[in-house]
Amino acid sequence: MDDDGTRGARGSSADWVPGPALPPPPTTPPRVPAPATGPRPAATPVEQRPTRPGPASPAEQPAPGAPVDAWLRTPRPPQEPGVWRYGYTPPPPEEPEGVSNRSLLVGALISLLSALLLWSLWRNGYLPYRLVPLKLFTPGEWWNPGTSGGPRTIEGSDALTVYEAILFGLLAYGCGRIGNFSELFRRHVADRGQPFLALAAAAAAGLTQLLVWKEALPVVRPVLVLVASVAGGEIYQSQTVVNVIYAVIAAAVLYPFARLGCWRDLIAARRGTAAPAPDGTAAAPAAATSADQWPELRTAGWTDAADTLTAEVRTGRMNDVDVARLRHAWALATRRPDRLASLAEAVLRTGGAAALHPSGHRDLPRRGARHDVLTGQVRIGRCADDPHNPYVRRGTGLALEPALLGTSLLAVGPPGAGKTARLIRPVVEALALRALAGQAAVLAVGGAGAPLGPDDAFDVVVRLGHPGSAHDIDLYGGTTDPDEAAAVLAEGLVGDVGSLDSRRAATVLAQLLGPYRAAHGHFPSVPELRELLDGTPAALAGLRASLEAAGHHAMLRELDARSRQAGGPGDPAPALADRVALLDRPAFTGFFATGPDARPFSLRALGQHPLRVRVDLPERGHAEASRLLTRLLLAQFTAITAARADTTLFACLVLDDATHAVTAETVRGIRRLRSVNAGAVLALRTVDDVPETLHTPLLGAVGCTAAFSGITTWDGKRFAEAWGKEWVETREVAQHTVFADQPFTRALHALRKLVTGKAVTTDAVTVRQVERERWSASELAYAVPAGHAVIRLATVEGEHAPPLLVHLDG
């Protein structure tokens, strides 16, 4: 933000926050007055970073020095919820469960030995009727009489030579199929890659050539016989022809091994020329598209602006945030054609710096996660190779995006499980990038010192209880309606007290807030509200006098009603006063100001501007006050986002610690967020931090849930029930002892039992479909490794993914 926009002031309301950067801006952002003098010193504004393209981020962002156009052209195919789409390539089809290496080797050896035995029996004439098929198709004068009679003539000998070669080929083919030699070659030779594959193929080719020319394999003589029968025996009178035939035989024997060994690819790789992919696809993930040519601008006729942006992209003067921001600005401008010309003019004038975020920043100071700003995804981990995960999701990246966060997310895990570093921080970072692109607003709430991002990554930083904080928080949410302010404030003050009705508490607050605002023009400060709730006579008398002097008779009736109900059974005023007293502490002196000179930051600005806001709570010294404020911010966020008219801007609230912040009313508000383009991210140490009556409603209200390693079986049971069951196929094997009736069989069984020590049994296999939990409570508590989480995702449109075991690397 500009220094005269929101910096240098204790706070800013929605009216003082600059609007989205659409050229030309409808109005100039008004200046925010300097903070009023008070007991604590004004904070020194953080020095604004120079406006420049931000640094490239690792892996999925354009690498330093690399053109952005390649990143822009990289395909992002639509996938299931949570799949990291940047350069996604589908996995190969799932292969059926194969046999073990030992079984494969034994089967191949037995097949080879059987083939050698059969061929030996054939060559030595031990197989009866072996020549009968040949004699049926050849003249009888070629053979001696009898079924086993050999050839009588030269023609018979030649026919027998070709016949043996054909039978040998069929025997070799059958031996290879039965022994599964192709799978053996793939596992132990091909999978090792080059150059082992080429060397193994060369060794096999040399051995085969030796056997062929030694006539151990029937190849040479059958070929010579066939050539002589076709071209005549006189052809062999030329030594040149004989040499050519021998060369053709050698090449024909060598060719299959050259194909198996991929010699051509190896030679091409050695020479530095890449061979084309076998399926015709490009080796690089980038697709030859025209995304870097800005086709949407060219289609609309703004060719000059498209050429300017194309040059900016190809020369490296734009980063990924610039691309996403300008695309979004163009999409917004097309809805209002009167702004198209001004946007195109701004592009021609400033290039990639057009339509800047009001802060003037074009990127975050640094990134800790991998982002794809074009789709709004942030990669938080990789799906583990685990039987619980579907095959197509194993090894794929898992990413979060606004379409998922719009259903809200609940993360549960003990301290140290990585909720903040591996989930909350990447989500806040991604939303901040979306805010710089003008597409989102984020409010991150955590304890002081929580690693939610550096100060210069946010537009507004509120440090409650810190004397150097430049901004403040509006306890009343920026509203001027006493009833609305009372409802939200009551939810924040006593929403977690099960014995109190929040509606009665809201009525008590409304009976005081309405008269006070009518008399003074603003809501009471924390000390004044405490005095009114305590029923201090001087405070009530002064308020009554002000109302009588101004003639507010309706508000006098409200005040009289409060006086009559005070001290009655079930009066929530004492409990409200006790909770307000938590904020009426010396550490909060000067905060929560409501006078005419006060400019507290209002959450209503989140629904109107792409802001990046961080609130630091004093959890160490004021734990109960921090929980109260967290509960209040959650109630304000759900109420404000549900009431906004323009829902084009995605708004998200991130609570690093939502302990005792969830109430029945906020659960209903979270359920409504998905319909107003908003979401909430809640982190809990355990589900027991929420009242027991809200366990089921909360898990039903959020669409995305994450169970981190180290949760208890009680928490695991709740997640298992929320995730439901699935149909699985089970195999039950029952072993039954075999009792022999014959003496010889009985003796064999006794011998086998003596050798193996086990009785002879037979297996009875039963296969059936049963319904089982996707993840059981015990598995969630004890089978999730450290650094992992089981995450279930759902989109606003209703798509969902099953619970996935994810290795978190966000």
Side-chain angles (χ1 to χ4, degrees):
M1 294 295 175
D2 296 331
D3 288 344
D4 59 347
T6 57
R7 305 246 177 176
R10 169 65 66 81
S12 57
S13 65
D15 298 332
W16 274 267
V17 179
L22 265 180
T27 57
T28 303
R31 299 175 61 89
V32 177
T37 57
R40 51 197 177 95
T44 303
V46 180
E47 183 179 357
Q48 182 173 331
R49 282 192 306 122
T51 301
R52 58 179 177 83
S57 49
E60 280 70 17
Q61 282 79 42
V68 183
D69 55 349
W71 167 83
L72 188 58
R73 292 196 308 266
T74 302
R76 296 164 175 85
Q79 293 296 324
E80 298 179 359
V83 175
W84 176 249
R85 294 166 51 193
Y86 180 89
Y88 173 81
T89 55
E94 184 177 7
E95 297 181 357
E97 185 177 355
V99 297
S100 62
N101 290 332
R102 179 179 178 182
S103 300
L104 191 64
L105 290 172
V106 171
L109 181 61
I110 292 176
S111 175
L112 179 61
L113 294 178
S114 300
L116 292 176
L117 176 62
L118 187 61
W119 183 246
S120 177
L121 294 177
W122 167 269
R123 294 296 300 269
N124 291 285
Y126 290 106
L127 295 180
Y129 311 107
R130 64 189 184 97
L131 300 179
V132 171
L134 180 60
K135 292 180 178 181
L136 291 177
F137 296 96
T138 54
E141 61 268 16
W142 290 3
W143 310 97
N144 292 319
T147 56
S148 59
R152 179 188 297 178
T153 63
I154 296 178
E155 291 82 358
S157 298
D158 294 342
L160 180 59
T161 299
V162 176
Y163 179 59
E164 287 183 346
I166 295 174
L167 290 180
F168 180 81
L170 294 176
L171 181 62
Y173 176 77
C175 173
R177 291 298 301 272
I178 295 175
N180 205 358
F181 278 85
S182 60
E183 178 67 16
L184 185 66
F185 175 81
R186 185 189 66 81
R187 287 191 188 181
H188 299 282
V189 180
D191 287 351
R192 295 192 178 185
Q194 300 287 12
F196 181 83
L197 175 60
L199 294 176
L207 177 62
T208 304
Q209 290 280 8
L210 179 64
L211 295 177
V212 166
W213 296 111
K214 289 292 184 180
E215 296 190 0
L217 299 179
V219 176
V220 178
R221 290 190 60 187
V223 171
L224 296 177
V225 169
L226 289 176
V227 172
S229 63
V230 173
E234 297 82 2
I235 195 174
Y236 293 122
Q237 295 179 0
S238 173
Q239 186 64 35
T240 302
V241 173
V242 174
N243 293 337
V244 170
I245 294 175
Y246 284 165
V248 170
I249 293 174
V253 173
L254 194 63
Y255 177 74
F257 295 98
R259 289 292 302 272
L260 290 176
C262 301
W263 294 353
R264 181 181 177 183
D265 297 340
L266 180 61
I267 294 174
R270 296 294 184 184
R271 291 180 177 178
T273 58
D279 56 353
T281 58
T289 64
S290 59
D292 61 328
Q293 300 285 336
W294 299 86
E296 58 272 15
L297 273 70
R298 299 183 187 274
T299 304
W302 302 97
T303 307
D304 294 340
D307 292 339
T308 300
L309 293 179
T310 301
E312 292 273 309
V313 168
R314 293 187 174 179
T315 55
R317 293 194 295 267
M318 289 179 63
N319 61 7
D320 51 353
V321 179
D322 294 331
V323 174
R325 185 187 69 253
L326 289 173
R327 281 193 167 190
H328 179 68
W330 180 261
L332 291 181
T334 52
R335 302 174 189 174
R336 300 185 61 180
D338 57 316
R339 296 192 179 185
L340 289 176
S342 59
L343 177 59
E345 180 184 355
V347 170
L348 292 175
R349 186 176 64 255
T350 61
L356 272 181
H357 185 264
S359 66
H361 294 173
R362 298 173 64 178
D363 200 354
L364 298 179
R366 55 183 175 274
R367 303 185 189 182
R370 290 176 284 182
H371 302 271
D372 184 19
V373 187
L374 206 60
T375 59
Q377 288 189 318
V378 52
R379 176 166 172 157
I380 63 171
R382 174 181 50 83
C383 295
D385 187 6
D386 187 85
H388 286 91
N389 294 342
Y391 171 77
V392 295
R393 300 300 297 268
R394 298 174 189 173
T396 61
L398 189 83
L400 296 176
E401 56 185 307
L404 298 171
L405 298 178
T407 64
S408 299
L409 185 147
L410 176 66
V412 178
K419 299 188 299 299
T420 300
R422 300 184 179 184
L423 180 64
I424 300 299
R425 171 72 182 269
V427 168
V428 173
E429 199 172 86
L431 293 172
L433 289 173
R434 297 282 287 183
L436 290 178
Q439 304 175 44
V442 57
L443 172 61
V445 182
L452 299 180
D455 292 351
D456 50 355
F458 296 91
D459 303 314
V460 177
V461 177
V462 182
R463 296 183 176 90
L464 294 174
H466 192 282
S469 179
H471 298 278
D472 200 353
I473 282 291
D474 187 357
L475 287 180
Y476 304 99
T479 183
T480 57
D481 184 1
D483 293 327
E484 181 181 353
V488 176
L489 185 59
E491 197 65 34
L493 292 175
V494 295
D496 62 329
V497 182
S499 58
L500 286 180
D501 187 358
S502 59
R503 291 173 297 181
R504 291 194 60 187
T507 302
V508 171
L509 288 173
Q511 290 172 345
L512 296 174
L513 297 181
Y516 190 94
R517 179 172 180 79
H520 300 281
H522 58 83
F523 291 121
S525 62
V526 170
E528 293 169 335
L529 180 60
R530 180 183 180 184
E531 291 179 352
L532 293 175
L533 289 172
D534 282 333
T536 304
L540 293 176
L543 180 58
R544 183 182 301 275
S546 299
L547 291 174
E548 290 176 350
H552 294 291
H553 301 290
M555 292 303 172
L556 280 172
R557 290 196 299 270
E558 286 284 294
L559 191 60
D560 292 339
R562 170 85 290 265
S563 301
R564 290 192 302 269
Q565 296 171 4
D571 182 18
L576 290 170
D578 291 341
R579 289 300 178 88
V580 172
L582 296 174
L583 304 179
D584 189 17
R585 305 295 301 164
F588 299 114
T589 301
F591 282 92
F592 315 120
T594 59
D597 297 331
R599 300 292 185 191
F601 173 77
S602 172
L603 266 62
R604 291 187 180 274
L606 291 174
Q608 305 171 17
H609 311 290
L611 290 176
R612 302 166 295 166
V613 183
R614 193 189 77 204
V615 178
D616 295 343
L617 301 175
E619 289 185 344
R620 295 184 178 178
H622 304 273
E624 195 62 32
S626 298
R627 295 174 181 176
L628 187 153
L629 292 170
T630 303
R631 191 163 53 249
L632 178 62
L633 291 174
L634 177 58
Q636 287 185 0
F637 180 82
T638 56
I640 291 172
T641 53
R644 60 178 179 161
D646 185 7
T647 60
T648 57
L649 192 70
F650 179 74
C652 188
L653 169 66
V654 182
L655 298 182
D656 185 47
D657 185 5
T659 302
H660 301 297
V662 180
T663 64
E665 185 61 32
T666 54
V667 168
R668 286 189 287 267
I670 290 173
R671 190 179 289 111
R672 293 191 297 264
L673 290 179
R674 65 178 66 190
S675 62
V676 293
N677 196 23
V681 179
L682 311 177
L684 294 171
R685 294 182 177 90
T686 174
V687 182
D688 290 332
D689 289 339
V690 177
E692 186 175 0
T693 56
L694 298 179
H695 290 174
T696 301
L698 177 60
L699 290 173
V702 297
C704 304
T705 48
F708 284 71
S709 61
I711 65 172
T712 63
T713 53
W714 291 274
D715 288 343
K717 179 181 179 181
R718 298 181 182 96
F719 280 108
E721 293 175 351
W723 292 339
K725 301 179 180 180
E726 63 179 345
W727 290 97
V728 296
E729 184 179 278
T730 62
R731 296 176 73 253
E732 296 180 358
V733 180
Q735 293 184 342
H736 302 282
T737 304
V738 178
F739 297 96
D741 297 331
Q742 301 298 325
F744 180 72
T745 307
R746 202 178 298 121
L748 289 178
H749 287 186
L751 178 61
R752 180 176 175 179
K753 183 176 181 181
L754 180 63
V755 173
T756 62
K758 298 180 181 179
V760 180
T761 59
T762 182
D763 295 340
V765 181
T766 303
V767 180
R768 59 178 180 175
Q769 296 282 339
V770 297
E771 193 176 21
R772 287 185 178 176
E773 294 175 333
R774 300 178 185 271
W775 281 83
S776 67
S778 298
E779 288 175 330
L780 289 173
Y782 302 110
V784 179
H788 290 67
V790 181
I791 302 178
R792 187 255 185 186
L793 301 174
T795 65
V796 178
E797 291 79 11
E799 299 181 60
H800 60 85
L804 302 171
L805 179 63
V806 180
H807 175 256
L808 300 171
D809 54 10

